[in-house]
Amino acid sequence: MTNQPTIVIKNPTWWKRRTNLERNLTIVAGGMLLASSFLALALSTLYFNHSCNMESLPSISAENNGLIGKSRGRSLFQNREYEKDNICLTTGCVKAAASVINNMDPTVDPCDDFYQFACGNFIKETIIDDDKTSQTTFSAISDSLLNKLRMIVTEPIQPNEQKPFKMAKLLYKSCMDKEKIEKEGLGPIKEMLKSLGGWPVLEADKWNDAEFTWKDSVYKFRVAGYSVDYFIDFSISTDLKNTTTRAIDLDQASLGLSREYLVKGTDEKIVAAYYRYMVDIAVLFGADRQRATKELRESLDFEIALAKISLPLEERRDAAKLYNPMKIADLQQKFPSIPWQEYLNKLLSPLNIRQDDIIIVNSPKYLSDLEALLSNTPKRIQANYVIWRAAAASVSYLTEEMRKRQLDYSTELSGRTEREPRWKECVDISSGSFSLAIGSLYVRRYFDENAKKNALEMVNGIREEMYKILGSIDWMDEETRKNAIDKAKSMTSHIAYPDELLDDSKLNAFYENLEVNDNDYYTSILNLTKFGTDYSFSKLRQPVNKSDWITHSKTAIVNAFYSAIENSIQFPAGILQGAFFSSDRPRYMNYGAIGFVIGHEITHGFDDQGRQFDKEGNLVDWWAEETKKRYLEKASCIIRQYGNYTAHEVGLKLNGINTQGENIADNGGVKEAYYAYNVWTKRHGVEPRLPGLQDYTPQQMFWVSAANVWCSKYRPETLKNRITTGFHSPGRFRIIGPFSNLEDFSNDFRCPLGSNMNPVKKCQVW
């Protein structure tokens, strides 16, 4: 998958977060709003979200041939010597054993540092490719997936090829045609910037501020296919208190660099790098360097001011505080300097705003502060800022000279020193832009249907364990417990792909109004972006279908999701393979890997954010006050625990508040998967051991498999960015944290009380 920095297109609120496995920096240097990210986001507009970055694996049945059959029906307490002699020698078992042994450092005491024990050799031996920001279990599977997608998009177009498949291949072809892109040069983009109102730093004294208003720039961006979110984030989302309907959502602006960096000002080295990048790109477009240095510093100061009036991530976790419904009359009264009727109609066109339309304002204070900021900022500064954002969003699709400067900036942000091969970037753009079409071809050609069946079996078993946990915890009152169990049982599952994805007529109907060719790459990208925006905004008055096949058709990706507003979990086809899942290896490997992921997503329904929504996905407080208080105390323990972890490579402590949702999901998820595996074992018998690892019991190998999912090596710059802006803890702490909280782990490895992996004080929510 491409590692180029991408623009965050729609992220009005936490439940609409990106799902890109945190591959790409939140910091934006390029990526047009674009095709790969924008359309994908438009298709999942109200889906979400918690992504966990994981996968699912098919498991072995007791009826399989070979030595596995010998263990059928045996007790967990059978003769240990017999167990150690019962070795699985299938190809899958040999491969699984080799992978574990390659990752493991057996010289480390598992009770001292289990992550180092399970992943120490991976960390020692792994060299991060020059074009990557990190090397992880996920990246290895993503690379394998990308090779398959490459075979799909490079096949010759057939005379009777369906339009969606043909367009995906044409986009790839035009992306690969560097000669044509170089020949076009910057002419098309310069004409576009002029039509958007002109970039003052380029036009110098010729630019006329009388012809510019910030809102007119937004209207022009909407028509052209650029983002409309650079002053006010605008989207159509599900009404959180009535998830059968949609609402207009207004939020703080999308920024070119993460707020967490911008608020530190130019003393922060990443902000300084961003500023140098702004100036250099303007100069490459033809600006005078001295003018660019002065004017774009003013532009940067304006963006820093936008960051400072924006809510920090820590204050965006309470959905109720972000839910401020208004009618258009309320909006006009509270924020009178903006012509809301005109503004909303221009963005929604061809729809028109109605007096009874619900408008959700995430941060009323942001809009008030924005009014004041705009009234005190000269038009030239506003124009320089917003046209800079359009220019930056276009760089990835322009000349090699531009892209080389983008790479230099990316190196300062992420540490990677090379762009990925052009074919990888183009496959990613094509498959991201045409996720339904490419996903359909991927499923038809490569997906093992047995994986879908086995994943469903695992999902059902792990859900059963969540029901038991909810039914037995001693800090819940009975009414809240009943509601929690109802929510868990109401959770819907989307596994692998929807059947409609294989229906060519449905695919053709979806892409009917889109045109892409191989003659003009830049224009095709803009067409795709506008297509995605049109699709997303057209949903305003359409009823919400929580099982809509389009929303759940991103299949060729390595990730998994929970949607609070759907109360659903999703495991795309792309994650049901590799280290996460194989039908030709013991189930303890699968339950430890994809089972951990499944449990993680289920638990998201009950993390600090998911718990705010009821079984229908509505923002409803269904918790008794005393039980809520106990929950928050338990969540605080997790916050403190992870907040005290330090990533010594970069000398940074984790942000326990921002990562609490993912940490709660990790802690509950691995526990549910472990219990589910033990239930499976009681039904089917003890499984054979892996060759070369016969000293480890199936239960111990469950934990090893779970740890192997998170073996990770990061560049220091990437690790710093992940800790500063991310919602997931780095791989080490996704193992150390949950495992040290679970007595089952300590029992399986006989860790003495008081050891690092068996502390006296433990945290547990679920």
Side-chain angles (χ1 to χ4, degrees), residues 427-490:
V427 168
D428 196 40
I429 288 171
S430 176
S431 61
S433 303
F434 289 96
S435 57
L436 274 65
I438 296 298
S440 178
L441 292 175
Y442 171 78
V443 166
R444 297 179 205 209
R445 179 168 306 180
Y446 295 109
F447 185 64
D448 177 6
E449 288 297 327
N450 286 328
K452 190 172 184 177
K453 174 173 170 278
N454 290 335
L456 180 60
E457 177 193 9
M458 293 179 74
V459 167
N460 290 338
I462 293 168
R463 283 171 63 135
E464 286 292 331
E465 296 311 306
M466 187 58 173
Y467 304 156
K468 293 176 188 175
I469 290 170
L470 292 171
S472 62
I473 51 178
D474 59 8
W475 50 269
M476 262 191 167
D477 69 282
E478 291 310 310
E479 184 63 24
T480 304
R481 187 192 311 280
K482 176 181 177 300
N483 290 332
I485 294 173
D486 282 349
K487 178 174 182 176
K489 291 186 174 181
S490 299

Side-chain angles (χ1 to χ4, degrees), residues 14-35:
W14 60 263
W15 54 88
K16 290 179 280 182
R17 283 209 300 274
R18 291 184 298 172
T19 66
N20 63 357
L21 298 183
E22 293 183 350
R23 291 183 292 110
N24 293 337
L25 294 172
T26 353
I27 307 164
V28 178
M32 216 166 245
L33 282 182
L34 276 135

Side-chain angles (χ1 to χ4, degrees), residues 287-571:
D288 172 75
R289 180 169 292 277
Q290 187 174 355
R291 179 183 289 275
T293 301
K294 176 184 180 296
E295 293 195 15
L296 294 183
R297 175 55 198 258
E298 295 171 335
S299 168
L300 175 60
D301 288 342
F302 176 73
E303 186 169 9
I304 290 172
L306 285 174
K308 287 181 175 178
I309 65 173
S310 300
L311 289 174
L313 294 173
E314 292 86 347
E315 294 182 30
R316 296 181 61 83
R317 301 192 68 83
D318 185 343
K321 289 182 179 177
L322 300 178
Y323 186 84
N324 301 284
M326 300 181 188
K327 300 290 179 63
I328 189 165
D330 304 322
L331 207 60
Q332 196 62 63
Q333 181 184 8
K334 292 178 184 293
F335 316 106
S337 72
I338 300 172
W340 290 107
Q341 184 98 25
E342 171 195 302
Y343 188 81
L344 297 178
N345 282 340
K346 289 280 190 180
L347 296 188
L348 288 170
S349 180
L351 297 179
N352 286 312
I353 188 73
R354 295 175 183 168
Q355 296 304 311
D356 61 345
D357 280 329
I358 299 295
I359 301 161
I360 309 298
V361 179
N362 287 255
S363 173
K365 186 176 186 305
Y366 172 81
L367 290 184
S368 296
D369 290 345
L370 178 67
E371 285 187 297
L373 178 60
L374 290 170
S375 68
N376 292 317
T377 303
K379 288 184 177 182
R380 189 176 185 93
I381 294 175
Q382 296 177 27
N384 265 326
Y385 169 67
V386 75
I387 301 297
W388 147 250
R389 295 298 303 279
S394 309
V395 169
S396 294
Y397 312 94
L398 302 176
T399 64
E400 284 307 303
E401 186 179 31
M402 284 282 185
R403 288 161 53 83
K404 173 64 170 64
R405 182 59 185 89
Q406 183 189 56
L407 173 63
D408 292 342
Y409 173 55
S410 176
T411 300
E412 294 190 79
L413 303 183
S414 68
R416 71 181 182 122
T417 57
E418 297 288 340
R419 289 194 92 99
E420 62 189 349
R422 182 86 185 193
W423 73 263
K424 285 189 177 183
E425 184 174 333
C426 293
V427 168
D428 196 40
I429 288 171
S430 176
S431 61
S433 303
F434 289 96
S435 57
L436 274 65
I438 296 298
S440 178
L441 292 175
Y442 171 78
V443 166
R444 297 179 205 209
R445 179 168 306 180
Y446 295 109
F447 185 64
D448 177 6
E449 288 297 327
N450 286 328
K452 190 172 184 177
K453 174 173 170 278
N454 290 335
L456 180 60
E457 177 193 9
M458 293 179 74
V459 167
N460 290 338
I462 293 168
R463 283 171 63 135
E464 286 292 331
E465 296 311 306
M466 187 58 173
Y467 304 156
K468 293 176 188 175
I469 290 170
L470 292 171
S472 62
I473 51 178
D474 59 8
W475 50 269
M476 262 191 167
D477 69 282
E478 291 310 310
E479 184 63 24
T480 304
R481 187 192 311 280
K482 176 181 177 300
N483 290 332
I485 294 173
D486 282 349
K487 178 174 182 176
K489 291 186 174 181
S490 299
M491 195 178 288
T492 55
S493 303
H494 303 277
I495 298 174
Y497 65 92
D499 293 339
E500 292 90 338
L501 194 64
L502 305 184
D503 186 334
D504 287 347
S505 63
K506 284 186 165 55
L507 288 174
N508 282 318
F510 176 76
Y511 289 108
E512 182 180 8
N513 296 322
L514 176 62
E515 291 300 329
V516 165
N517 59 56
D518 60 344
N519 293 323
D520 187 346
Y521 181 45
Y522 172 67
T523 300
S524 291
I525 291 293
L526 287 172
N527 286 348
L528 278 158
T529 312
K530 189 170 187 302
F531 174 77
T533 307
D534 290 344
Y535 175 80
S536 175
F537 291 1
S538 71
K539 291 291 187 180
L540 176 58
R541 298 193 184 94
Q542 296 180 20
V544 175
N545 176 5
K546 295 184 182 180
S547 59
D548 174 37
W549 72 274
I550 293 172
T551 305
H552 302 95
S553 284
K554 283 201 70 179
T555 57
I557 55 173
V558 185
N559 209 340
F561 313 112
Y562 171 74
S563 167
I565 56 179
E566 289 182 1
N567 191 27
S568 71
I569 50 179
Q570 183 175 352
F571 306 98

Side-chain angles (χ1 to χ4, degrees), residues 579-592:
F580 288 107
F581 179 83
S582 169
S583 57
D584 190 24
R585 68 181 190 182
R587 297 269 175 144
Y588 50 75
M589 296 299 292
N590 290 341
Y591 273 90

